[in-house]
Amino acid sequence: MSHSLSEYGPLTHQPRKYGYSEKGCVLEIFEPTAGLAQILIMGSIHGDESLSTVLLSECLRSLQAHELKSSVILAANPDGVLAGTRCNSRGVDLNRNYPTTNWAPDPVYYRNRPDTPQNIALSPGAMAGSEAETKALIELIQDIKPGLIVSIHGFLGCIDDPDASPIAQDIALRTGLDLVPDVGYATPGSFGSWCKEQTIPIITYELPSQDITELKQLHVPVLKDLCTGHYHKLIS
Ligand SMILES: [Zn+2]
């Protein structure tokens, strides 16, 4: 039985430490109490998209420990979440810091809002894989070998899966979000590019720009299904 709403207060699941951020925050992963997780779900690789952390946390808090069948990282960039920045504490966009064939040392640009130009510069790191958060996540993934990774972002409002997998199709159908093969612009050194090169299936789940109440209503049930094994039969 899932927790009732009155029991949603504290996060009682016990995390495991997989490293430290550049500023010394503990990097944590929540894992099933028994058995191997096939799916890794993560939020807030971009610290200014921390509604992903709020939704994933609510999902975890709604579950009893034994119901969790997937691995969950609430915040892949905790320094960014605490500072409210897209980048980590060294000004690096962690989602452009991965050792991929297309990583480049040039600044990377993002937009503040959908209607503003993509002109805010961040660093992709002094070199590919330079940041503590990146190194720790790579080591973790090589260790736990997930069959699917779902990375939650905001707020483009789409489900990005170049393979258009059955799970991505189902999430798109349930959420009314478009299923797309890419986000429409180049993302050198992105976590998604790295996963593709490692042949790890990845779905980039871009939340829409909606208020938190609507986001909770529509997306927490989907996240819950991702966490509790509902989709495991669809992983090839
Ligand atoms: Zn993002």
Side-chain angles (χ1 to χ4, degrees):
M1 269 293 282
S2 295
H3 285 141
S4 65
L5 201 53
S6 64
E7 300 171 297
Y8 276 26
L11 179 59
T12 53
H13 300 249
Q14 290 305 309
R16 173 167 74 92
K17 181 188 85 183
Y18 70 90
Y20 292 97
S21 69
E22 286 291 346
K23 240 182 148 176
C25 263
V26 177
L27 299 169
E28 294 179 332
I29 182 168
F30 294 85
E31 295 174 302
T33 50
L36 282 176
Q38 293 184 57
I39 304 180
L40 167 65
I41 309 158
M42 51 183 254
S44 293
I45 194 168
H46 287 139
D48 60 351
E49 296 164 5
S50 57
L51 276 178
S52 60
T53 299
V54 175
L55 297 181
L56 275 175
S57 167
E58 177 155 315
C59 169
L60 272 185
R61 282 178 284 118
S62 75
L63 298 175
Q64 307 226 27
H66 71 269
E67 292 177 294
L68 181 63
K69 303 293 181 206
S70 300
S71 297
V72 178
I73 294 173
L74 289 179
N77 176 13
D79 296 346
V81 172
L82 290 173
T85 58
R86 180 177 174 92
C87 55
N88 75 349
S89 61
R90 306 205 305 169
V92 175
D93 184 336
L94 295 178
N95 201 35
R96 301 291 182 274
N97 185 235
Y98 280 78
T100 60
T101 50
N102 63 2
W103 182 87
D106 316 314
V108 293
Y109 294 91
Y110 74 102
R111 49 170 59 90
N112 185 258
R113 293 194 302 269
D115 58 342
T116 58
Q118 205 168 12
N119 63 0
I120 306 174
L122 287 177
S123 164
M127 62 179 83
S130 59
E131 303 308 290
E133 297 87 346
T134 305
K135 287 183 197 136
L137 191 55
I138 288 175
E139 210 170 294
L140 175 77
I141 289 169
Q142 286 170 344
D143 180 32
I144 65 174
K145 299 183 176 58
L148 170 69
I149 298 176
V150 180
S151 182
I152 319 281
H153 284 256
F155 294 92
L156 298 176
C158 59
I159 303 296
D160 169 10
D161 181 354
D163 300 328
S165 66
I167 297 179
Q169 287 183 38
D170 190 66
I171 294 173
L173 190 70
R174 289 176 68 180
T175 58
L177 297 175
D178 288 338
L179 179 60
V180 299
D182 56 64
V183 290
Y185 48 83
T187 57
S190 71
F191 177 67
S193 306
W194 180 79
C195 288
K196 266 177 254 166
E197 290 183 12
Q198 306 295 311
T199 65
I200 303 168
I202 175 157
I203 296 171
T204 303
Y205 189 146
E206 284 275 356
L207 295 165
S209 181
Q210 279 176 332
D211 77 46
I212 184 69
T213 308
E214 289 169 327
L215 287 175
K216 280 184 177 185
Q217 248 159 17
L218 194 56
H219 298 278
V220 170
V222 177
L223 296 175
K224 231 170 134 167
D225 282 345
L226 281 165
C227 282
T228 54
H230 170 84
Y231 283 112
H232 282 178
K233 58 185 180 297
L234 294 178
I235 297 175
S236 45

